[in-house]
Amino acid sequence: MEHDSPPSRHRWVFWCFVAIAAFFLLTEHTVHVLGALPYLLLAACPLMHIFMHHGHGHHHHGTRSSVDEGQEEDRK
């Protein structure tokens, strides 16, 4: 009796089902995704500001960096 054919057949059927489902999801919902794209871009602006700037100047906490010390020496 051959034991490899049923699992490989089931795997082939599964991947065909996944391919068909992906095709229909992409074709039927492309309009919805593209319609939301401008809003996603607008939402990305404040999210990038929050997560990428890390607080704008609140990182010194009483310590002076070498750039600040160099500017202080230039002033003297």
Side-chain angles (χ1 to χ4, degrees):
M1 218 162 136
E2 194 173 299
H3 293 292
D4 290 333
S5 64
S8 63
R9 188 177 311 152
H10 291 291
R11 191 175 305 139
W12 185 80
V13 169
F14 171 75
W15 286 113
C16 285
F17 175 76
V18 168
I20 292 169
F23 171 76
F24 281 115
L25 279 173
L26 289 173
T27 57
E28 295 296 323
H29 295 287
T30 302
V31 174
H32 303 296
V33 172
L34 292 179
L37 191 59
Y39 300 111
L40 293 174
L41 289 174
L42 286 174
C45 293
L47 291 174
M48 286 184 354
H49 186 76
I50 290 169
F51 292 113
M52 294 180 75
H53 288 288
H54 300 290
H56 274 294
H58 298 289
H59 57 276
H60 291 293
H61 299 293
T63 60
R64 295 174 60 176
S65 67
S66 61
V67 174
D68 291 338
E69 292 171 2
Q71 290 175 353
E72 178 102 11
E73 290 175 4
D74 290 341
R75 288 185 210 153
K76 289 182 181 180

Coordinates of all heavy atoms in Angstrom, one line a residue:
M1 N 0.8 -1.2 0.0 CA 0.0 0.0 0.0 C 0.9 1.3 0.0 O 1.9 1.3 0.7 CB -0.9 0.0 1.3 CG -2.2 0.5 1.0 SD -3.3 0.0 2.3 CE -4.1 1.5 2.5
E2 N 0.5 2.3 -0.7 CA 1.3 3.5 -0.9 C 0.8 4.5 0.1 O -0.3 4.9 0.1 CB 1.2 4.0 -2.3 CG 2.2 5.0 -2.7 CD 2.1 5.3 -4.1 OE1 2.3 4.4 -5.0 OE2 1.8 6.5 -4.4
H3 N 1.7 5.0 1.0 CA 1.3 5.9 2.1 C 1.6 7.3 1.7 O 1.2 8.2 2.4 CB 2.0 5.5 3.4 CG 1.6 4.3 4.0 ND1 0.3 4.1 4.4 CD2 2.2 3.1 4.1 CE1 0.1 2.9 4.9 NE2 1.3 2.2 4.7
D4 N 2.5 7.6 0.7 CA 2.9 8.9 0.4 C 1.8 9.7 -0.5 O 1.8 10.9 -0.4 CB 4.2 8.9 -0.4 CG 5.3 8.5 0.5 OD1 5.2 8.8 1.8 OD2 6.3 8.0 0.0
S5 N 1.0 9.0 -1.2 CA 0.1 9.7 -2.2 C -1.0 10.4 -1.5 O -1.3 11.5 -1.9 CB -0.4 8.7 -3.2 OG -1.2 7.7 -2.6
P6 N -1.7 9.9 -0.4 CA -2.8 10.7 0.2 C -2.3 12.0 0.8 O -2.9 13.0 0.6 CB -3.4 9.7 1.2 CG -3.1 8.4 0.7 CD -1.8 8.5 0.0
P7 N -1.2 12.0 1.6 CA -0.7 13.3 2.2 C -0.3 14.2 1.1 O -0.6 15.4 1.2 CB 0.4 12.9 3.1 CG 0.2 11.5 3.4 CD -0.4 10.9 2.2
S8 N 0.4 13.8 0.1 CA 0.8 14.7 -1.0 C -0.4 15.2 -1.8 O -0.4 16.4 -2.2 CB 1.9 14.1 -1.9 OG 1.3 13.0 -2.6
R9 N -1.4 14.4 -1.9 CA -2.6 14.8 -2.6 C -3.3 15.9 -1.8 O -3.8 16.9 -2.3 CB -3.5 13.6 -2.9 CG -4.6 14.0 -3.8 CD -5.5 12.8 -4.1 NE -4.7 11.7 -4.6 CZ -5.0 10.4 -4.4 NH1 -6.2 10.1 -3.9 NH2 -4.3 9.4 -4.9
H10 N -3.4 15.6 -0.5 CA -4.0 16.6 0.4 C -3.3 17.9 0.4 O -3.9 19.0 0.4 CB -4.1 16.0 1.8 CG -5.1 14.9 2.0 ND1 -6.4 15.1 1.8 CD2 -4.9 13.6 2.2 CE1 -7.0 13.9 2.0 NE2 -6.1 13.0 2.2
R11 N -2.0 17.8 0.4 CA -1.2 19.0 0.4 C -1.4 19.8 -0.9 O -1.5 21.0 -0.9 CB 0.3 18.7 0.5 CG 1.2 19.9 0.8 CD 2.7 19.5 1.1 NE 2.7 18.5 2.2 CZ 3.5 17.4 2.2 NH1 4.3 17.2 1.2 NH2 3.5 16.6 3.2
W12 N -1.4 19.1 -2.0 CA -1.7 19.8 -3.3 C -3.0 20.4 -3.4 O -3.2 21.6 -3.8 CB -1.6 18.7 -4.4 CG -1.6 19.3 -5.8 CD1 -0.7 19.9 -6.5 CD2 -2.8 19.3 -6.6 NE1 -1.1 20.3 -7.7 CE2 -2.4 19.9 -7.8 CE3 -4.1 18.8 -6.5 CZ2 -3.3 20.1 -8.9 CZ3 -5.0 19.0 -7.5 CH2 -4.6 19.7 -8.7
V13 N -4.1 19.8 -2.8 CA -5.4 20.3 -2.8 C -5.4 21.6 -1.9 O -6.0 22.6 -2.2 CB -6.4 19.3 -2.3 CG1 -7.8 19.9 -2.0 CG2 -6.6 18.2 -3.4
F14 N -4.7 21.5 -0.7 CA -4.7 22.6 0.2 C -4.0 23.8 -0.5 O -4.6 24.9 -0.4 CB -3.9 22.2 1.4 CG -3.6 23.4 2.3 CD1 -4.6 23.9 3.1 CD2 -2.3 23.9 2.4 CE1 -4.3 25.0 4.0 CE2 -2.0 25.0 3.2 CZ -3.0 25.5 4.0
W15 N -2.9 23.7 -1.2 CA -2.2 24.8 -1.8 C -3.0 25.4 -3.0 O -3.0 26.6 -3.2 CB -0.8 24.4 -2.2 CG 0.1 24.4 -1.0 CD1 0.7 23.3 -0.5 CD2 0.5 25.5 -0.2 NE1 1.4 23.6 0.6 CE2 1.3 24.9 0.8 CE3 0.2 26.8 -0.2 CZ2 1.8 25.7 1.9 CZ3 0.7 27.6 0.9 CH2 1.5 27.1 1.8
C16 N -3.8 24.5 -3.7 CA -4.7 25.0 -4.7 C -5.8 25.9 -4.1 O -6.1 26.9 -4.6 CB -5.3 23.9 -5.5 SG -4.1 23.1 -6.6
F17 N -6.3 25.4 -3.0 CA -7.4 26.2 -2.3 C -6.8 27.5 -1.8 O -7.4 28.5 -1.9 CB -7.9 25.4 -1.1 CG -8.9 26.2 -0.3 CD1 -10.2 26.4 -0.7 CD2 -8.5 26.7 1.0 CE1 -11.0 27.1 0.1 CE2 -9.3 27.4 1.7 CZ -10.6 27.6 1.3
V18 N -5.6 27.5 -1.2 CA -5.0 28.8 -0.8 C -4.8 29.7 -2.0 O -5.0 30.9 -1.8 CB -3.6 28.5 0.0 CG1 -2.8 29.7 0.2 CG2 -3.9 27.8 1.3
A19 N -4.3 29.2 -3.1 CA -4.1 30.1 -4.3 C -5.4 30.7 -4.8 O -5.4 31.8 -5.1 CB -3.4 29.2 -5.4
I20 N -6.4 29.9 -4.8 CA -7.7 30.4 -5.3 C -8.3 31.4 -4.3 O -8.8 32.5 -4.7 CB -8.7 29.2 -5.5 CG1 -8.3 28.3 -6.7 CG2 -10.1 29.7 -5.7 CD1 -9.0 27.0 -6.8
A21 N -8.2 31.1 -3.0 CA -8.7 32.1 -2.0 C -7.9 33.4 -2.1 O -8.5 34.5 -2.0 CB -8.5 31.4 -0.6
A22 N -6.6 33.3 -2.2 CA -5.7 34.5 -2.3 C -6.1 35.3 -3.6 O -6.2 36.6 -3.5 CB -4.3 34.1 -2.4
F23 N -6.4 34.6 -4.7 CA -6.8 35.3 -5.9 C -8.1 36.1 -5.7 O -8.2 37.3 -6.0 CB -6.9 34.3 -7.0 CG -7.5 34.9 -8.3 CD1 -6.8 35.7 -9.1 CD2 -8.9 34.7 -8.6 CE1 -7.4 36.3 -10.2 CE2 -9.5 35.3 -9.7 CZ -8.7 36.1 -10.5
F24 N -9.1 35.5 -5.1 CA -10.3 36.1 -4.9 C -10.3 37.2 -3.8 O -10.9 38.3 -4.0 CB -11.4 35.1 -4.5 CG -12.0 34.4 -5.7 CD1 -11.8 33.0 -5.9 CD2 -12.6 35.1 -6.8 CE1 -12.2 32.4 -7.0 CE2 -13.1 34.4 -7.9 CZ -12.9 33.1 -8.0
L25 N -9.5 37.0 -2.8 CA -9.3 38.1 -1.8 C -8.6 39.3 -2.4 O -9.1 40.5 -2.2 CB -8.4 37.6 -0.7 CG -9.2 36.8 0.4 CD1 -8.2 36.2 1.4 CD2 -10.2 37.6 1.1
L26 N -7.6 39.1 -3.3 CA -7.0 40.2 -3.9 C -7.8 40.9 -4.9 O -7.9 42.2 -5.0 CB -5.7 39.8 -4.6 CG -4.5 39.4 -3.6 CD1 -3.4 38.8 -4.4 CD2 -4.1 40.6 -2.8
T27 N -8.6 40.2 -5.7 CA -9.4 40.8 -6.8 C -10.6 41.5 -6.2 O -11.0 42.5 -6.7 CB -9.8 39.8 -7.8 OG1 -10.5 38.7 -7.2 CG2 -8.6 39.3 -8.6
E28 N -11.2 40.9 -5.2 CA -12.5 41.5 -4.7 C -12.2 42.6 -3.7 O -13.1 43.5 -3.5 CB -13.3 40.4 -4.0 CG -13.8 39.3 -4.9 CD -14.8 39.8 -6.0 OE1 -15.6 40.7 -5.6 OE2 -14.7 39.4 -7.1
H29 N -11.1 42.6 -3.0 CA -10.9 43.6 -1.9 C -9.8 44.6 -2.3 O -9.5 45.5 -1.5 CB -10.5 42.9 -0.6 CG -11.6 42.0 -0.1 ND1 -12.7 42.6 0.5 CD2 -11.8 40.7 -0.1 CE1 -13.5 41.6 0.9 NE2 -13.0 40.5 0.5
T30 N -9.4 44.6 -3.5 CA -8.4 45.7 -3.9 C -9.0 47.1 -3.8 O -8.3 48.0 -3.4 CB -7.9 45.4 -5.4 OG1 -7.4 44.1 -5.4 CG2 -6.9 46.4 -5.8
V31 N -10.3 47.2 -4.2 CA -10.9 48.5 -4.2 C -11.0 49.0 -2.7 O -10.7 50.2 -2.5 CB -12.3 48.4 -4.8 CG1 -13.1 49.7 -4.6 CG2 -12.2 48.0 -6.2
H32 N -11.2 48.1 -1.8 CA -11.3 48.6 -0.4 C -9.9 49.0 0.1 O -9.8 50.0 0.8 CB -11.9 47.4 0.5 CG -13.2 46.9 0.1 ND1 -14.3 47.7 0.1 CD2 -13.6 45.7 -0.4 CE1 -15.3 47.0 -0.4 NE2 -14.9 45.8 -0.7
V33 N -8.9 48.2 -0.2 CA -7.6 48.6 0.3 C -7.1 49.9 -0.4 O -6.5 50.7 0.3 CB -6.6 47.4 -0.1 CG1 -5.2 47.8 0.2 CG2 -7.0 46.2 0.7
L34 N -7.3 50.0 -1.7 CA -6.9 51.2 -2.3 C -7.7 52.4 -1.8 O -7.2 53.6 -1.8 CB -6.9 51.1 -3.8 CG -6.0 50.1 -4.5 CD1 -6.2 50.0 -6.0 CD2 -4.5 50.5 -4.1
G35 N -8.9 52.2 -1.5 CA -9.7 53.3 -1.0 C -9.3 53.8 0.4 O -9.4 55.0 0.8
A36 N -8.7 52.9 1.2 CA -8.2 53.2 2.5 C -6.8 53.8 2.5 O -6.3 54.3 3.5 CB -8.3 52.0 3.4
L37 N -6.1 53.7 1.4 CA -4.7 54.0 1.3 C -4.4 55.5 1.7 O -3.5 55.8 2.5 CB -4.1 53.7 0.0 CG -2.6 53.8 -0.2 CD1 -2.0 52.8 0.8 CD2 -2.3 53.4 -1.6
P38 N -5.2 56.5 1.2 CA -4.9 57.8 1.6 C -5.1 58.0 3.2 O -4.3 58.8 3.8 CB -6.0 58.7 0.9 CG -6.4 57.8 -0.2 CD -6.3 56.4 0.2
Y39 N -6.0 57.4 3.8 CA -6.2 57.5 5.2 C -5.0 56.8 6.0 O -4.6 57.3 7.0 CB -7.5 56.9 5.7 CG -8.7 57.6 5.0 CD1 -9.5 57.0 4.0 CD2 -9.0 58.9 5.3 CE1 -10.5 57.6 3.4 CE2 -10.1 59.6 4.7 CZ -10.8 58.9 3.7 OH -11.8 59.6 3.1
L40 N -4.5 55.7 5.4 CA -3.4 55.1 6.0 C -2.2 55.9 6.0 O -1.4 56.0 6.9 CB -3.1 53.7 5.4 CG -4.2 52.7 5.6 CD1 -3.9 51.4 4.8 CD2 -4.3 52.3 7.1
L41 N -2.0 56.7 4.9 CA -0.8 57.6 4.7 C -1.0 58.7 5.7 O 0.0 59.2 6.3 CB -0.7 58.1 3.3 CG -0.3 57.1 2.3 CD1 -0.3 57.6 0.9 CD2 1.1 56.6 2.6
L42 N -2.2 59.3 5.9 CA -2.4 60.3 6.8 C -2.2 59.9 8.3 O -1.6 60.6 9.1 CB -3.8 60.9 6.7 CG -4.0 61.8 5.5 CD1 -5.5 62.2 5.4 CD2 -3.1 63.0 5.5
A43 N -2.6 58.6 8.6 CA -2.4 58.1 9.9 C -0.9 57.8 10.2 O -0.4 57.8 11.3 CB -3.2 56.8 10.1
A44 N -0.1 57.6 9.1 CA 1.3 57.3 9.3 C 2.1 58.5 9.8 O 3.1 58.3 10.5 CB 1.9 56.7 8.0
C45 N 1.6 59.7 9.4 CA 2.4 60.9 9.8 C 2.5 61.1 11.3 O 3.6 61.2 11.8 CB 1.8 62.1 9.1 SG 1.9 62.1 7.3
P46 N 1.4 61.1 12.0 CA 1.5 61.2 13.5 C 2.1 60.0 14.1 O 2.9 60.2 15.1 CB 0.1 61.4 14.0 CG -0.8 61.1 12.9 CD 0.0 61.1 11.6
L47 N 1.9 58.8 13.6 CA 2.6 57.7 14.2 C 4.1 57.7 14.0 O 4.8 57.4 15.0 CB 2.0 56.4 13.6 CG 0.5 56.1 13.9 CD1 0.1 54.9 13.1 CD2 0.4 55.8 15.4
M48 N 4.6 58.2 12.9 CA 6.0 58.3 12.7 C 6.5 59.4 13.6 O 7.6 59.3 14.1 CB 6.3 58.6 11.2 CG 6.2 57.4 10.3 SD 6.6 57.6 8.6 CE 7.0 59.3 8.4
H49 N 5.8 60.5 13.8 CA 6.2 61.5 14.7 C 6.4 61.0 16.1 O 7.4 61.3 16.8 CB 5.2 62.7 14.6 CG 5.7 63.9 15.4 ND1 6.7 64.7 14.9 CD2 5.3 64.3 16.6 CE1 6.9 65.7 15.8 NE2 6.1 65.5 16.8
I50 N 5.4 60.2 16.6 CA 5.5 59.7 17.9 C 6.6 58.7 18.1 O 7.4 58.8 19.1 CB 4.1 59.1 18.3 CG1 3.0 60.2 18.4 CG2 4.2 58.3 19.6 CD1 1.6 59.6 18.5
F51 N 6.7 57.8 17.2 CA 7.6 56.6 17.4 C 9.0 56.9 16.9 O 9.9 56.2 17.4 CB 7.0 55.4 16.8 CG 5.8 54.9 17.5 CD1 4.6 54.9 16.8 CD2 5.9 54.4 18.8 CE1 3.4 54.4 17.4 CE2 4.7 54.0 19.4 CZ 3.5 54.0 18.7
M52 N 9.2 57.8 16.0 CA 10.5 58.0 15.4 C 11.3 59.2 16.1 O 12.5 59.2 16.0 CB 10.5 58.1 13.9 CG 10.0 56.9 13.3 SD 9.9 57.0 11.5 CE 11.6 56.9 11.1
H53 N 10.6 60.2 16.6 CA 11.3 61.3 17.2 C 11.7 61.1 18.6 O 12.5 61.8 19.1 CB 10.5 62.6 17.0 CG 10.4 63.0 15.6 ND1 11.5 63.6 15.0 CD2 9.4 63.0 14.7 CE1 11.1 63.9 13.7 NE2 9.9 63.5 13.5
H54 N 11.0 60.2 19.3 CA 11.3 59.9 20.7 C 11.3 61.1 21.6 O 12.2 61.3 22.5 CB 12.7 59.2 20.8 CG 12.7 57.9 20.1 ND1 12.0 56.8 20.4 CD2 13.4 57.6 18.9 CE1 12.2 55.8 19.6 NE2 13.1 56.3 18.7
G55 N 10.4 62.0 21.4 CA 10.2 63.0 22.4 C 10.8 64.4 22.2 O 10.7 65.3 23.0
H56 N 11.6 64.6 21.2 CA 12.1 66.0 20.8 C 12.8 66.7 22.0 O 12.2 67.5 22.6 CB 11.0 66.9 20.3 CG 10.7 66.7 18.8 ND1 11.7 67.0 17.9 CD2 9.7 66.2 18.2 CE1 11.2 66.8 16.7 NE2 10.0 66.2 16.8
G57 N 14.0 66.4 22.3 CA 14.8 67.1 23.2 C 14.6 66.7 24.7 O 15.2 67.3 25.5
H58 N 13.9 65.7 24.9 CA 13.7 65.2 26.3 C 14.7 64.1 26.6 O 14.6 63.4 27.6 CB 12.3 64.7 26.6 CG 11.3 65.7 26.4 ND1 11.1 66.7 27.3 CD2 10.3 65.9 25.4 CE1 10.1 67.5 26.8 NE2 9.6 67.0 25.7
H59 N 15.8 64.0 25.8 CA 16.8 63.0 26.0 C 18.0 63.4 26.7 O 18.9 62.6 27.0 CB 17.1 62.4 24.7 CG 17.7 63.3 23.7 ND1 16.8 64.1 22.9 CD2 18.9 63.7 23.3 CE1 17.6 64.9 22.1 NE2 18.8 64.7 22.4
H60 N 18.1 64.7 27.1 CA 19.4 65.1 27.8 C 19.4 64.8 29.3 O 20.4 64.4 29.8 CB 19.5 66.7 27.6 CG 19.9 67.0 26.2 ND1 21.0 66.7 25.6 CD2 19.1 67.7 25.3 CE1 21.0 67.1 24.3 NE2 19.9 67.7 24.1
H61 N 18.3 65.0 30.0 CA 18.2 64.7 31.4 C 19.3 65.1 32.3 O 19.9 64.4 33.0 CB 18.0 63.2 31.6 CG 16.7 62.7 30.9 ND1 15.5 63.0 31.3 CD2 16.6 61.8 29.8 CE1 14.6 62.4 30.5 NE2 15.2 61.7 29.6
G62 N 19.8 66.3 32.1 CA 20.8 66.9 33.0 C 22.2 66.6 32.6 O 23.1 67.1 33.2
T63 N 22.5 65.8 31.6 CA 23.8 65.5 31.2 C 24.1 66.3 29.9 O 23.2 66.6 29.1 CB 24.0 64.0 30.8 OG1 23.1 63.7 29.8 CG2 23.8 63.1 32.0
R64 N 25.3 66.7 29.8 CA 25.7 67.6 28.7 C 26.5 66.7 27.7 O 27.4 66.0 28.0 CB 26.6 68.7 29.1 CG 25.8 69.7 30.0 CD 26.7 70.7 30.6 NE 27.3 71.5 29.5 CZ 28.1 72.5 29.8 NH1 28.3 72.9 31.0 NH2 28.6 73.2 28.8
S65 N 26.1 66.9 26.4 CA 26.8 66.1 25.4 C 28.1 66.8 25.0 O 28.3 68.0 25.3 CB 25.9 65.9 24.2 OG 25.7 67.2 23.6
S66 N 28.9 66.2 24.2 CA 30.2 66.8 23.8 C 29.9 67.9 22.8 O 30.7 68.8 22.7 CB 31.1 65.7 23.2 OG 30.5 65.1 22.1
V67 N 28.8 67.8 22.1 CA 28.5 68.9 21.2 C 28.2 70.2 22.0 O 28.6 71.3 21.6 CB 27.3 68.5 20.3 CG1 26.9 69.7 19.4 CG2 27.7 67.3 19.4
D68 N 27.4 70.0 23.1 CA 27.1 71.2 23.9 C 28.4 71.8 24.5 O 28.5 73.0 24.6 CB 26.1 70.8 25.0 CG 24.7 70.5 24.4 OD1 24.4 70.9 23.3 OD2 24.0 69.7 25.1
E69 N 29.3 70.9 25.0 CA 30.5 71.4 25.6 C 31.4 72.1 24.6 O 32.0 73.1 24.9 CB 31.2 70.3 26.2 CG 30.6 69.7 27.4 CD 31.2 68.4 27.9 OE1 32.2 68.0 27.3 OE2 30.7 67.8 28.8
G70 N 31.4 71.6 23.3 CA 32.1 72.3 22.3 C 31.6 73.7 22.0 O 32.3 74.6 21.7
Q71 N 30.3 73.8 21.9 CA 29.7 75.1 21.7 C 29.9 76.1 22.8 O 30.1 77.2 22.6 CB 28.2 74.9 21.5 CG 27.8 74.2 20.2 CD 26.3 73.9 20.1 OE1 25.6 74.2 21.0 NE2 25.9 73.5 18.9
E72 N 30.0 75.5 24.1 CA 30.2 76.4 25.2 C 31.7 76.9 25.2 O 31.9 78.1 25.5 CB 30.0 75.6 26.5 CG 30.3 76.3 27.8 CD 29.1 76.7 28.5 OE1 28.0 76.3 28.1 OE2 29.2 77.5 29.4
E73 N 32.6 76.1 24.7 CA 34.0 76.5 24.6 C 34.2 77.6 23.5 O 35.0 78.5 23.6 CB 34.9 75.3 24.4 CG 35.0 74.4 25.6 CD 35.9 73.2 25.3 OE1 36.4 73.1 24.1 OE2 35.9 72.3 26.1
D74 N 33.4 77.4 22.5 CA 33.5 78.4 21.4 C 33.0 79.8 21.8 O 33.4 80.8 21.3 CB 32.6 77.9 20.2 CG 33.3 76.7 19.5 OD1 34.5 76.5 19.7 OD2 32.6 76.0 18.7
R75 N 32.0 79.8 22.8 CA 31.5 81.1 23.2 C 32.5 81.8 24.1 O 32.4 83.0 24.3 CB 30.2 80.8 24.0 CG 29.1 80.4 23.1 CD 27.8 80.3 23.9 NE 27.0 79.3 23.3 CZ 26.1 78.6 23.9 NH1 25.9 78.7 25.2 NH2 25.4 77.7 23.3
K76 N 33.4 81.1 24.8 CA 34.3 81.8 25.7 C 35.4 82.5 25.1 O 35.9 82.6 24.1 CB 34.9 80.7 26.7 CG 33.9 80.2 27.6 CD 34.6 79.2 28.5 CE 33.6 78.6 29.5 NZ 34.2 77.7 30.4

